[in-house]
Amino acid sequence: MFLNVGSGFGQATKNRAQKGNKASSPSMPQLVSQNGKHTFYVDGKPYLILGAQMWNSSGWPAILDKTWPQLRELNCNTLEVPVYWEQIEPQRGKFDFANLDKLILDARREGLRLVLLWFGSYKNGQSQYVPAWVKENPQEYPRMVDGTGRSIGVLSSLSEKNRNADAQAFTAMMRHIRQVDERYKTVIMVQPENEPGSLGTDRDYSTQATQLFKEQVPAKLVSALKKQPGSWEQVFGPEAAEAFSAYHMAVYINYIAEAGKKEYPLPMYVNAWIKENRFGRAGEHPSGGPTSNMLDIYKAAAPGIDLLAVDIYHRNYMQFRELCEKYGRPDNALFIPETGRGIAFARFHFYAIGDYNAIGVAPYGIDPFHADPNDKRDKEKLDNKFSGIAANYRLLRPAIPLITSLQGTGKLQAAAEEDGLGDELLHFSNYDLLLTYGFPTYKEPKEMTGRVLVGEIGPDEFILIGFDTKFQFRPKLGSGFSTAEFISVEEGTFKDGVWQKIRNWNGDEVYHSTLTPEGVMLKIKLKGLQSDKFDNKPNFER
Ligand code: DGJ
């Protein structure tokens, strides 16, 4: 049986997460979007996901049990863990929540929040995680067919049977989470499916799919996209197959998400395997996922999805920034649920949070499934791999209230060291800030560790949070002042949103005016002067 695609639009309205069908408690996690500013609330307070994602097959007690110590060292506040349809519903209609219950209890004990990744019908453009009773029965649970007529390992998104079976398991899980976790809110967000789409084909070429593909694009979609009516090929040209797949995938996932929200209205998002790779052809990346060229289709066809997230493994900052720009939109909060884990990626967190108002970031592959954390050499390797991320989280976590209050106001900016970039000039209301990378003690070429978040908290006051970066302020040109004097440079941190001074910087610390390699948070008060008597010394030699 196939879906009536003409009525494919979901029933959800904007901010559905706030208006779940059942009464939600006041502290329900929710994503609030106002005037293009997105804030994710947990326990009624703005939250920033400083996360970590497990490897794919690690959502099992044996692996989780040895991961908790490492997560403590990482200082993350949120763990992203897959929950498998095949694990939850090993036999049709028989649900097993034992592993999920243990996961929730353990995370609660650790003071960690959870983002659950529903590996249901789709995982990276394939359907590997569906239960055996689905895999063994393709007559009942049909697959997509590729251009050569072969049935492939991807469930058809046009099948009502597939969709309903997935939705039934997903809603059972959401109902269960409500029962065991509503009072605690350990689980704060859910990702129905993972990098959905079809890998290996740009669309389903089954007879039914091809028939639908020849029909007109649904009127509601055409009007939401402000396009002229026509066939898929007429409306979308060379992207027709991908647009067709994205629309049906969005409708499919939206149905599942909305059904789940009726049970328990947690915010839900779908993540993308990006198209910004090699030739960028649909099928080489899963066709029908929320790739950057399909975002408008998802927005129109999946109103029950709160945001479309982007997984970024690119190591080049221009590509990283370009993707942040594409996904951080007035109608879409930026969330990066997967990124790399080495030191090279630590600076990207700063861009995402400071310049694109991300509600969260997470390195992928956090658990030591292949390593023994009790073995000294394994442990050292793990520590090295995650040291940059751990340092970020240690520094950023106490500053979450400040960061989230400044996001979207234009008063928060990020800067980071890049290959060949000696310094960077940032502009604020009354001051220019020159940032120079490279801590003086480094003699050899080193990793690009310089990274800083700058918050303008008053006309003459700034918070600097970062690593390995020299800072020099000048009053704005035309202000009548030539020099900025430091009235105070306080090193400190935040406790419950209130600044806690640790010490004052003067002397050599101010002479060098450099954020240390270990990371430091400074509150700086300035005063404009007409003389240049108090100006900072020139940059140290690089
Ligand atoms: C992206 C996927 O979403 C993850 O589940 C995982 O497979 C990573 N790729 C591996 O790099």
Side-chain angles (χ1 to χ4, degrees):
M1 191 184 301
F2 285 81
L3 296 177
N4 172 3
V5 293
S7 61
F9 280 82
Q11 299 304 309
T13 54
K14 288 247 179 286
N15 293 329
R16 179 63 178 269
Q18 299 158 53
K19 299 179 185 163
N21 289 11
K22 291 186 183 168
S24 52
S25 68
S27 58
M28 200 67 202
Q30 55 180 319
L31 183 70
V32 175
S33 301
Q34 260 167 357
N35 307 323
K37 176 175 160 73
H38 309 287
T39 311
F40 181 40
Y41 286 88
V42 172
D43 295 341
K45 289 187 231 136
Y47 192 79
L48 189 60
I49 295 177
L50 298 177
Q53 182 168 149
M54 306 287 288
W55 287 80
N56 287 163
S57 303
S58 297
W60 296 87
I63 309 294
L64 282 157
D65 284 348
K66 63 175 186 178
T67 303
W68 302 115
Q70 191 174 322
L71 294 169
R72 268 173 240 145
E73 286 180 29
L74 192 69
N75 303 300
C76 59
N77 60 12
T78 309
L79 181 64
E80 300 170 1
V81 195
V83 186
Y84 318 105
W85 183 4
E86 64 176 0
Q87 185 194 64
I88 294 277
E89 196 183 5
Q91 286 173 276
R92 195 193 321 218
K94 296 231 162 48
F95 297 102
D96 178 354
F97 296 114
N99 285 335
L100 178 59
D101 287 346
K102 178 166 163 40
L103 166 66
I104 293 175
L105 279 177
D106 288 351
R108 204 179 288 155
R109 178 200 66 217
E110 295 291 326
L112 282 171
R113 305 295 178 138
L114 291 172
V115 171
L116 297 181
L117 317 173
W118 174 244
F119 284 13
S121 301
Y122 304 104
K123 154 73 178 86
N124 292 33
Q126 292 182 313
S127 302
Q128 286 179 5
Y129 286 87
V130 302
W133 52 268
V134 172
K135 281 185 189 158
E136 285 166 355
N137 200 351
Q139 298 306 329
E140 200 174 343
Y141 303 105
R143 314 274 181 94
M144 289 191 192
V145 169
D146 71 11
T148 69
R150 270 185 319 157
S151 166
I152 57 172
V154 189
L155 289 190
S156 163
S157 57
L158 299 173
S159 159
E160 204 171 284
K161 264 274 175 149
N162 291 347
R163 185 203 66 184
N164 291 351
D166 187 324
Q168 200 182 331
F170 186 70
T171 52
M173 180 180 80
M174 294 306 293
R175 194 178 315 126
H176 185 79
I177 297 170
R178 176 171 222 154
Q179 279 160 11
V180 299
D181 196 47
E182 188 174 19
R183 278 181 55 207
Y184 303 94
K185 309 289 187 309
T186 314
V187 183
I188 54 173
M189 189 146 68
V190 179
Q191 176 197 287
E193 315 304 338
N194 186 83
E195 293 189 351
S198 58
L199 203 55
T201 183
D202 58 359
R203 73 167 172 88
D204 184 358
Y205 287 84
S206 65
T207 317
Q208 295 88 341
T210 299
Q211 182 53 41
L212 266 178
F213 184 67
K214 287 185 191 145
E215 291 176 11
Q216 297 275 295
V217 176
K220 276 186 177 174
L221 180 62
V222 171
S223 111
L225 299 181
K226 299 190 172 46
K227 290 187 180 278
Q228 294 301 313
S231 69
W232 289 93
E233 280 176 335
Q234 285 165 339
V235 176
F236 295 101
E239 289 187 334
E242 189 173 12
F244 173 82
S245 301
Y247 171 72
H248 290 290
M249 189 59 73
V251 169
Y252 185 101
I253 300 175
N254 187 64
Y255 180 93
I256 294 165
E258 288 196 344
K261 281 186 173 183
K262 278 186 195 141
E263 296 298 337
Y264 191 36
L266 283 175
M268 299 202 186
Y269 72 95
V270 180
N271 62 332
W273 174 329
I274 55 173
K275 76 182 284 285
E276 287 76 5
N277 228 332
R278 293 170 46 82
F279 287 96
R281 303 282 162 89
E284 291 176 19
H285 58 265
S287 180
T291 44
S292 56
N293 54 334
M294 296 291 127
L295 293 181
D296 291 338
I297 292 184
Y298 266 78
K299 287 289 167 193
I305 298 298
D306 296 270
L307 72 90
L308 302 165
V310 57
D311 299 341
I312 317 181
Y313 289 91
H314 285 319
R315 288 170 167 267
N316 178 281
Y317 81 101
M318 282 174 67
Q319 289 172 309
F320 186 89
R321 279 182 171 276
E322 189 186 308
L323 284 158
C324 289
E325 238 156 65
K326 287 180 177 173
Y327 282 81
R329 319 194 314 186
D331 64 349
N332 194 60
L334 177 66
F335 177 39
I336 307 173
E338 290 182 38
T339 183
R341 41 185 181 258
I343 182 70
F345 288 92
R347 69 193 196 283
F348 290 170
H349 291 188
F350 281 60
Y351 290 141
I353 292 166
D355 284 346
Y356 303 99
N357 310 316
I359 65 155
V361 287
Y364 170 80
I366 198 66
D367 51 286
F369 81 88
H370 55 309
D372 177 1
N374 296 318
D375 177 294
K376 214 171 143 238
R377 280 187 25 223
D378 274 7
K379 171 87 174 63
E380 232 173 72
K381 268 196 250 156
L382 284 170
D383 287 351
N384 287 344
K385 200 187 295 174
F386 295 114
S387 61
I389 309 286
N392 274 6
Y393 289 179
R394 182 180 46 73
L395 198 60
L396 296 176
R397 266 185 84 165
I400 288 177
L402 176 83
I403 292 169
T404 49
S405 72
L406 292 177
Q407 282 183 318
T409 64
K411 306 250 177 234
L412 185 67
Q413 293 188 50
E417 183 173 2
E418 297 297 343
D419 198 16
L421 182 71
D423 52 38
E424 247 178 309
L425 188 61
L426 302 187
H427 301 283
F428 292 90
S429 313
N430 297 333
Y431 294 89
D432 292 342
L433 169 58
L434 182 66
L435 299 165
T436 315
Y437 303 111
F439 195 68
T441 54
Y442 289 122
K443 299 276 181 276
E444 300 297 326
K446 61 172 196 66
E447 294 279 4
M448 285 173 286
T449 50
R451 55 199 190 276
V452 56
L453 284 183
V454 186
E456 184 182 2
I457 55 170
D460 299 293
E461 265 193 293
F462 293 86
I463 296 274
L464 264 57
I465 308 172
F467 303 79
D468 276 343
T469 307
K470 182 177 174 64
F471 52 91
Q472 291 169 282
F473 287 91
R474 286 273 163 86
K476 270 217 140 10
L477 200 61
S479 64
F481 301 118
S482 57
T483 298
E485 181 187 14
F486 289 125
I487 298 297
S488 59
V489 179
E490 296 181 9
E491 179 181 337
T493 186
F494 286 94
K495 189 149 191 278
D496 301 325
V498 180
W499 177 250
Q500 311 281 314
K501 180 167 87 176
I502 295 169
R503 60 170 177 159
N504 286 335
W505 277 22
N506 278 303
D508 283 353
E509 286 65 43
V510 162
Y511 174 85
H512 287 299
S513 64
T514 301
L515 305 175
T516 53
E518 302 75 37
V520 70
M521 206 178 316
L522 299 176
K523 182 156 142 237
I524 296 176
K525 193 153 176 34
L526 300 164
K527 189 175 177 316
L529 283 183
Q530 256 148 345
S531 123
D532 64 357
K533 195 168 151 214
F534 294 100
D535 197 8
N536 297 330
K537 294 288 180 295
N539 301 340
F540 48 79
E541 275 185 15
R542 284 171 60 79

